[in-house]
Amino acid sequence: MPKKSLNLLFKSQQKDDKKEVLKFELHGDEENTNDLHLLAGEMVNFEINNCDAGMTTAEFVSIQKDSKKTVLKFAIKGDSDEKARQLYAFAGHDVTLIIEPAQTSLEDFEPPHEASNIACLKTELPRLKRKMMAMSRHR
C-alpha cells in the first residue's frame, strides 16, 4: 500500500503501559479509508504535517468505524519521549496524517518470549559453568 494522506482530528494522546497511545478521528465517510483495515495490527510509519517529530513508527492498534466517525488508534514503538512531546502539541487539532506500512514488524519491538530465554539458559549454563571452573583453577 502506498503512502496515504488523511485529514483527521487528533483526538487524544496518553501514556499507557509505558507506551504512548494516540487516537485520531475521521468524521464523515471518506472512501479512502477502506484499505486502512489491511494495516490494522501492523507496524506503520506516520507523520503529521508541520510537526517537528517527523516520521514516527507505531503499531496501528485498531480502526473502528460507525455511522458518524472512524477512530484510528496507534501505539508509538521505539521512538523517543521528545517525539511524543512534539506530537502532543497537535492533540485536539485537525491534522493531515501521512501513513504508510513500516519495514519493521511488531515482533521487532516485543521482548523475548520466556520460553526462548529458558532454552537459551539450558544451552548456555553448562558452558558458563565450565568457564567459571576454568577461571577458578587459574587463581
Side-chain angles (χ1 to χ4, degrees):
M1 182 178 113
K3 282 185 181 181
K4 184 175 273 307
S5 180
L6 301 165
N7 294 316
L8 313 149
L9 169 63
F10 186 170
K11 184 70 175 171
S12 67
Q13 178 177 346
Q14 64 186 44
K15 199 163 189 95
D16 179 31
D17 296 333
K18 298 181 184 177
K19 62 186 173 206
E20 295 286 335
V21 177
L22 289 70
K23 290 183 184 176
F24 296 88
E25 285 185 4
L26 175 65
H27 293 274
D29 186 30
E30 194 169 311
E31 54 190 62
N32 68 351
T33 61
N34 291 335
D35 54 350
L36 285 177
H37 289 280
L38 301 173
L39 291 176
E42 301 292 330
M43 294 300 293
V44 296
N45 293 322
F46 72 85
E47 182 175 16
I48 294 175
N49 271 1
N50 302 317
C51 180
D52 292 337
M55 199 58 82
T56 304
T57 303
E59 176 188 0
F60 188 172
V61 177
S62 65
I63 181 169
Q64 297 173 330
K65 208 175 210 179
D66 65 26
S67 61
K68 296 180 182 178
K69 65 183 179 287
T70 302
V71 178
L72 309 175
K73 187 175 176 182
F74 299 92
I76 297 176
K77 300 278 187 173
D79 276 313
S80 69
D81 287 340
E82 179 61 28
K83 258 193 185 186
R85 280 191 290 280
Q86 291 169 335
L87 290 167
Y88 186 74
F90 288 79
H93 299 283
D94 289 325
V95 298
T96 300
L97 183 78
I98 300 162
I99 184 172
E100 65 182 352
Q103 298 300 315
T104 58
S105 70
L106 192 55
E107 288 81 27
D108 294 337
F109 294 94
E110 295 296 322
H113 191 271
E114 191 174 309
S116 65
N117 289 342
I118 292 170
C120 181
L121 281 174
K122 285 181 179 178
T123 59
E124 290 296 313
L125 196 55
R127 186 184 68 78
L128 290 172
K129 282 182 180 178
R130 285 191 304 271
K131 189 174 183 179
M132 288 174 66
M133 288 174 61
M135 287 173 55
S136 66
R137 280 186 245 150
H138 289 91
R139 285 187 182 179

